[in-house]
Amino acid sequence: MNPASRTFSTSLFALALAACGDNGSDPLTATAGVTATDPGPTSETSPQTTTGADTTTGDDTTTGTPEDPTTSSSTTDAVDPCDACGENASCRGDTCVCDEGFEGDGQTCSDLDECAGKNDCAVDATCSNTPGGYDCACNEGYKGNGFTCSDVDECNEDLDMCSPNASCTNQDGGYKCACEEGFTGDGFTCNGSKQFGESCKAGEECASGLCLVGGFDMCTVPCSQNVANDCGAQGVTGLCVQVGVDQYACAGDMTFGADKDDEVLQAGDKVSRTFQTKTDADLFLVNIAIAGDYAVIATPDPDDDIQLDFYQADASEFGTVNMFGIGQAESAIITTQPGVFFIVARNIGASNGNYTIEVVKQ
């Protein structure tokens, strides 16, 4: 049979199958159709021998040989070297390099402490390290942007803290204060030579630095109200009065006995004391916590006569009680706000002896 006849027979068989439809499923018929091809030497042109081959090339050597996806290099993605760059790093070409202000291998970058090494801060500035950089600030006594700093002339720019009685001398990065002639101190505080009780108009005139103005106009010394007669304990006169916030000073020229009978009293207190001489006087500082009326009662020995003098917190006198004679109690009702007032108990009798004094809330 010639090739033309083989082609015709195959086409005729395919036509017969199409006409039969599903009835062409007879295995004998299907086998006959497959083996109907003549296995002659020209089988390279047979439709059966080219089934599954690459029809675009006609190369029978690729017939039935699928490409193995696991061995193909075309399906493997290329690795980007920049993916390995760490935080605070950048990719330059195909190399990871730490950003400016950091150091490392590009995969791990740590902050570079410029303050511990090279930086551009001025010699009179302080360097502060920051992540990836640093800050510069001029030191105290200098001005500028931290990279350039110049000295501040505190004396000429009225930035010094020298006493009014001191001279100011500018220095590199600071200044110096020195008390003027006639004053003593460290230059920041300079006091004059006036002593307690001398007339003054400002504290700098006094050796203590305290001038009590507003009626007294005298040099004074600091004191404490924790002690009833703290002024006497320091060898000066007067009562300890408040002259500022948490500041107290001795005011006046009153003197009291040298004994230790002085006392701080509160409401409900009752104490016994002794007049050491016929002219002895004891000081009591009364500290009241609640506003109201308070009775002050002083009872002497039967042969003694007692007098009570009352003073405000500013050392001004506001009353005297001496209504009865020898051996008789003296008393007064004091209406007061919370705070301090003073009582001076004086012996005005012909002898000395004991007495009691008490403060009673009414």
Side-chain angles (χ1 to χ4, degrees):
M1 182 180 295
N2 57 41
S5 298
R6 287 199 300 270
T7 301
F8 175 80
S9 299
T10 302
S11 300
L12 180 61
F13 178 71
L15 180 62
L17 286 177
C20 292
D22 292 340
N23 292 334
S25 61
D26 185 349
L28 295 178
T29 306
T31 300
V34 173
T35 57
T37 303
D38 184 358
T42 58
S43 61
E44 67 276 7
T45 60
S46 172
Q48 285 77 13
T49 60
T50 60
T51 302
D54 186 354
T55 58
T56 61
T57 62
D59 188 356
D60 292 340
T61 60
T62 60
T63 302
T65 307
E67 184 178 350
D68 186 352
T70 62
T71 61
S72 175
S73 60
S74 62
T75 59
T76 303
D77 294 334
V79 177
D80 187 350
C82 294
D83 291 343
C85 295
E87 186 179 3
N88 301 316
S90 303
C91 188
R92 300 178 184 176
D94 58 355
T95 303
C96 294
V97 180
C98 292
D99 295 336
E100 184 177 359
F102 296 88
E103 57 184 354
D105 58 7
Q107 297 178 348
T108 301
C109 298
S110 58
D111 178 51
L112 176 64
D113 188 354
E114 294 87 354
C115 296
K118 183 180 179 180
N119 61 75
D120 294 326
C121 292
V123 66
D124 295 315
T126 299
C127 178
S128 300
N129 188 58
T130 61
Y134 62 96
D135 294 327
C136 301
C138 292
N139 296 332
E140 185 176 1
Y142 296 88
K143 58 185 177 180
N145 59 9
F147 299 97
T148 301
C149 299
S150 59
D151 177 57
V152 175
D153 189 342
E154 292 87 354
C155 299
N156 287 335
E157 296 182 24
D158 293 329
L159 298 175
D160 66 276
M161 300 296 292
C162 294
S163 166
N165 299 310
S167 61
C168 178
T169 303
N170 186 62
Q171 295 181 327
D172 190 23
Y175 60 96
K176 181 180 179 180
C177 302
C179 293
E180 296 176 352
E181 186 177 357
F183 296 86
T184 59
D186 59 4
F188 297 96
T189 299
C190 297
N191 299 325
S193 58
K194 290 186 176 181
Q195 300 299 315
F196 179 86
E198 292 189 61
S199 176
C200 62
K201 294 182 179 179
E204 290 83 3
E205 302 176 55
C206 307
S208 65
L210 288 175
C211 179
L212 190 63
V213 296
F216 292 97
D217 298 328
M218 56 176 277
C219 290
T220 184
V221 294
C223 58
S224 170
Q225 290 187 340
N226 293 326
V227 180
N229 188 17
D230 189 39
C231 297
Q234 297 184 66
V236 298
T237 64
L239 302 175
C240 185
V241 302
Q242 186 169 6
V243 294
V245 178
D246 296 328
Q247 186 178 25
Y248 301 85
C250 296
D253 59 358
M254 292 177 289
T255 58
F256 311 99
D259 55 271
K260 302 298 182 182
D261 284 345
D262 307 304
E263 185 78 23
V264 176
L265 299 179
Q266 296 179 336
D269 288 346
K270 181 179 181 179
V271 296
S272 297
R273 290 292 181 266
T274 300
F275 286 128
Q276 305 296 322
T277 65
K278 293 180 181 181
T279 58
D280 194 10
D282 297 330
L283 176 63
F284 298 92
L285 186 155
V286 184
N287 193 345
I288 297 299
I290 301 175
D293 295 336
Y294 294 85
V296 177
I297 306 169
T299 305
D301 279 349
D303 58 348
D304 286 335
D305 195 359
I306 194 169
Q307 175 177 304
L308 300 178
D309 298 331
F310 295 90
Y311 294 84
Q312 301 275 13
D314 62 359
S316 60
E317 186 175 4
F318 68 92
T320 296
V321 174
N322 184 16
M323 298 174 62
F324 304 101
I326 296 174
Q328 300 296 310
E330 301 289 351
S331 63
I333 302 296
I334 307 298
T335 300
T336 181
Q337 296 296 316
V340 166
F341 66 89
F342 300 92
I343 305 171
V344 178
R346 300 185 182 278
N347 183 12
I348 59 172
S351 65
N352 55 293
N354 299 323
Y355 70 95
T356 63
I357 186 168
E358 59 185 314
V359 180
V360 182
K361 177 73 168 66
Q362 299 298 290

